[in-house]
Amino acid sequence: MDTPNENLQRPDVAAGTPLAIELKKINKRFGPVHANKDIDLAVKRGSVHGIVGENGAGKSTLMSILYGFYHADSGEILVNGKHATIHNSSDALHLGIGMVHQHFMLVDNFTVIENVILGAEDSALLRPSVDKARRELQRLADDYGLNVPVDALIEDLSVGQQQRVEILKALYRGADTLILDEPTGVLTPAEADHLFEVLKILRDEGKTIILITHKLREIMAITDMVSVMRQGQMVETLATSSTTPEQLAELMVGRRVLLRVHKEAAHPGDVLLEVNDLVVADDAGTERLKGVSLQVRAGEILGVAGVAGNGQSELLEALAGMRVARSGTIRLNGEDVTAANEDSAAILRRNGLAHVPEDRIRMGLVTNFFEWENAILGYHEKYGSGLMLDVKAAKAEAQRHIEKFDIRPANTDLKTANFSGGNQQKIVLAREMERDPDVLIVGQPTRGVDIGAIEFIHNQIIKMRDAGKAILLVSVELDEIRSLSDRIVVLFDGHIVGQADPATADEGELGLLMAGVKTGDAHTAEAIR
């Protein structure tokens, strides 16, 4: 654990300065990559300041410098108007700067209260620290609406509750400035709405929030100011009230970006994927799919909407041959391919099914492998095996993916762990979409992906549909489901509760279906096929 600088004192607010944080001429290089180029940033105290930019624009690097994970090659940091030297995260915390990371830094088999006091114990005797933390957590819950069961294990909490624990950790340590890196990337819409309410309360209580996100709707909804980064440089800082999503997208990408998907009407053909009365249980033995039936035809996109935890993950895993069904059947191109053993996923790939998993880290990548290795993962038989692997051909394929999908950095020999989340996602998408499958099942295709890449990925999905592929799409982004899908079905508690026409369905109708309430305009499950 980092040891705090004993001489470091939290600076008082300098007379006359309205700024909580000021960065001047920050530069940072990683070998030949100039991640931050003479960055200037001024963040007003008691505001929500958004930072947007494409993946690889340097947003997270800049905030990691502020939080002490990286050291700037040159430049100056001012906190409350006074020069600050930040060697590590402990120094940042002493200066009142906390950070909630995109991937949470929690110990799963510790309780909430144990995670909160970890590294901030008052003495070797834990009881006083626990008692103090319990009182303080109750105060923070009352003040900011951050209610979590403090004696629960982290692994038993929802993702939204785990995020609240991360925020509580920072506030418990006295954070006045809170950095949030892509905070809604793993949240349901309801959890995201609750987070925004918490951030508004924090701001109104005088806290300063720095929000890193690629979701322009969130920028417009919650921020007071927004700074745009592109290719390692700060290109503009604007009052949110004086800008538009279209202007921000253009500043981020350097060209005009279409924020809505434009597609011709679908022309569905033969049924390529058919599911009948599928029953699937999770790892704990609880049934998550309870008799689901659906069809996906060539030349159409079937969107599956629903609040996370209602069976979408189990549906994708069963269709991909990763989870054995308790009952029911899955047919691919008319052939029964219901998972029966550990070879089912490989057999499905060979028979024309490609799978983009919801969780790229846990199921889509081996982050300690090089980019080129991940680019052929699951399809490596095409390039030989063992010592006979045709590395040159594999790298050439990976380089083609990099160029087509604009994966950054453009380095096939870089370990995948060193790519941003959005670029990791593009590695997975390129690998699966470029195999010319008959059927593509895709979970959360644009999770953690920037606005320019979202446009590209959506267009690639539409092109696959227009080429006669059958696509099943699962996404927590209702805008994505509505704009891409030709038909929408809604999962609730393991059942398909209805379907909606994306041309006419609004968020209210879909929201009712996602809550298990059938509406007059939505069709019943019996009308799906």
Side-chain angles (χ1 to χ4, degrees):
M1 185 178 68
D2 290 331
T3 302
N5 183 343
E6 297 296 333
N7 297 319
L8 193 67
Q9 299 292 326
R10 181 173 303 190
D12 296 326
V13 178
T17 180
L19 301 178
I21 301 294
E22 191 172 6
L23 305 178
K24 296 182 176 181
K25 302 299 179 187
I26 298 293
N27 280 276
K28 180 64 179 177
R29 287 183 178 272
F30 297 97
V33 178
H34 200 166
N36 288 161
K37 307 174 187 177
D38 290 324
I39 296 290
D40 291 327
L41 176 68
V43 180
K44 293 181 180 178
R45 188 177 302 104
S47 70
V48 180
H49 193 117
I51 301 179
V52 298
E54 292 188 278
N55 295 121
K59 310 181 299 293
S60 295
T61 297
L62 186 66
M63 290 300 101
S64 294
I65 289 170
L66 179 59
Y67 192 59
F69 275 175
Y70 298 143
H71 298 160
D73 299 330
S74 61
E76 184 180 9
I77 300 173
L78 285 83
V79 178
N80 290 331
K82 296 183 179 179
H83 175 79
T85 300
I86 301 176
H87 297 292
N88 49 48
S89 58
S90 293
D91 284 352
L93 286 167
H94 273 70
L95 291 165
I97 302 168
M99 188 167 183
V100 177
H101 301 271
Q102 187 174 3
H103 302 292
F104 304 147
M105 307 291 187
L106 299 171
V107 182
D108 284 349
N109 58 352
F110 278 21
T111 66
V112 169
I113 204 163
E114 288 168 343
N115 271 276
V116 168
I117 66 173
L118 187 63
E121 302 89 345
D122 293 320
S123 68
L125 298 174
L126 289 181
R127 176 54 58 188
S129 295
V130 170
D131 291 343
K132 172 188 172 184
R134 193 178 298 276
R135 291 191 301 270
E136 181 63 10
L137 289 176
Q138 186 60 55
R139 184 189 70 79
L140 293 170
D142 293 341
D143 288 351
Y144 303 121
L146 289 164
N147 293 292
V148 289
V150 297
D151 294 311
L153 295 176
I154 294 297
E155 62 190 9
D156 294 331
L157 299 181
S158 70
V159 174
Q161 288 175 314
Q162 290 180 25
Q163 186 179 72
R164 288 176 218 167
V165 176
E166 286 280 28
I167 296 173
L168 285 167
K169 277 175 55 182
L171 295 176
Y172 181 76
R173 288 161 169 76
D176 294 317
T177 295
L178 195 60
I179 305 165
L180 292 97
D181 189 1
E182 298 286 358
T184 65
V186 293
L187 301 184
T188 66
E191 288 170 332
D193 289 342
H194 182 268
L195 172 65
F196 292 160
E197 292 303 316
V198 170
L199 296 184
K200 289 175 183 177
I201 295 170
L202 289 167
R203 176 191 62 190
D204 293 344
E205 292 290 326
K207 302 294 186 183
T208 304
I209 311 294
I210 302 176
L211 178 67
I212 306 172
T213 183
H214 68 278
K215 297 181 180 179
L216 298 183
R217 183 173 60 176
E218 295 177 1
I219 287 291
M220 302 306 296
I222 189 65
T223 65
D224 303 300
M225 301 290 294
V226 55
S227 294
V228 184
M229 294 184 67
R230 186 169 73 240
Q231 297 180 358
Q233 296 177 299
M234 189 68 70
V235 296
E236 192 73 80
T237 294
L238 302 160
T240 307
S241 59
S242 69
T243 188
T244 65
E246 290 76 13
Q247 181 186 13
L248 292 175
E250 187 169 347
L251 287 168
M252 288 166 60
V253 181
R255 60 175 174 82
R256 187 180 178 190
V257 177
L258 297 177
L259 299 181
R260 294 289 297 174
V261 176
H262 293 287
K263 66 182 191 292
E264 302 297 327
H267 299 286
D270 296 336
V271 174
L272 298 186
L273 179 66
E274 183 173 12
V275 176
N276 286 298
D277 298 323
L278 196 65
V279 177
V280 180
D282 63 15
D283 293 337
T286 302
E287 287 188 357
R288 294 298 184 184
L289 292 182
K290 305 170 183 178
V292 165
S293 297
L294 56 83
Q295 294 178 339
V296 192
R297 297 178 178 273
E300 76 165 350
I301 300 171
L302 176 67
V304 181
V307 176
N310 279 275
Q312 301 96 313
S313 297
E314 288 75 19
L315 174 62
L316 288 172
E317 290 172 16
L319 293 177
M322 298 169 60
R323 188 175 291 275
V324 177
R326 285 188 171 176
S327 62
T329 59
I330 302 169
R331 303 183 73 83
L332 177 66
N333 285 317
E335 180 182 349
D336 189 339
V337 293
T338 312
N341 55 55
E342 62 185 15
D343 295 324
S344 295
I347 293 169
L348 284 165
R349 283 196 298 273
R350 287 196 293 269
N351 289 341
L353 183 138
H355 173 217
V356 177
E358 291 183 295
D359 188 335
R360 58 178 171 261
I361 299 298
R362 190 168 64 89
M363 293 190 292
L365 298 165
V366 180
T367 56
N368 201 40
F369 280 14
F370 296 117
E371 191 279 338
W372 71 266
E373 292 174 303
N374 276 287
I376 65 169
L377 200 63
Y379 301 94
H380 45 277
E381 292 176 354
K382 175 182 175 182
Y383 305 92
S385 61
L387 295 176
M388 301 303 293
L389 188 68
D390 189 343
V391 175
K392 183 178 179 181
K395 287 187 175 183
E397 178 78 355
Q399 188 61 43
R400 189 175 68 82
H401 292 179
I402 282 175
E403 292 170 2
K404 183 171 181 178
F405 281 73
D406 191 26
I407 297 167
R408 305 177 192 175
N411 184 350
T412 61
D413 291 319
L414 189 66
K415 286 193 174 180
T416 312
N418 294 325
F419 288 81
S420 69
N423 281 293
Q424 289 175 343
Q425 182 76 351
K426 287 194 279 187
I427 292 171
V428 177
L429 285 158
R431 181 184 68 214
E432 302 300 324
M433 297 175 78
E434 290 297 293
R435 299 298 167 179
D436 194 31
D438 296 322
V439 176
L440 175 69
I441 58 173
V442 54
Q444 320 303 339
T446 58
R447 174 172 282 170
V449 176
D450 60 67
I451 192 73
I454 288 173
E455 180 191 37
F456 174 82
I457 290 165
H458 285 174
N459 286 334
Q460 292 300 114
I461 291 173
I462 296 298
K463 286 180 180 178
M464 289 188 71
R465 182 205 71 165
D466 293 345
K469 312 301 182 183
I471 299 168
L472 184 136
L473 167 70
V474 171
S475 177
V476 297
E477 302 288 346
L478 282 183
D479 285 345
E480 185 165 66
I481 287 283
R482 290 167 62 200
S483 60
L484 283 178
S485 303
D486 300 304
R487 293 187 293 127
I488 300 173
V489 297
V490 181
L491 267 178
F492 174 76
D493 191 28
H495 299 278
I496 293 180
V497 295
Q499 79 168 352
D501 182 348
T504 59
D506 58 24
E507 287 196 11
E509 177 184 342
L510 290 172
L512 287 172
L513 284 170
M514 290 164 66
V517 179
K518 292 183 180 180
T519 70
D521 294 329
H523 304 290
T524 61
E526 288 75 16
I528 288 171
R529 293 194 293 169

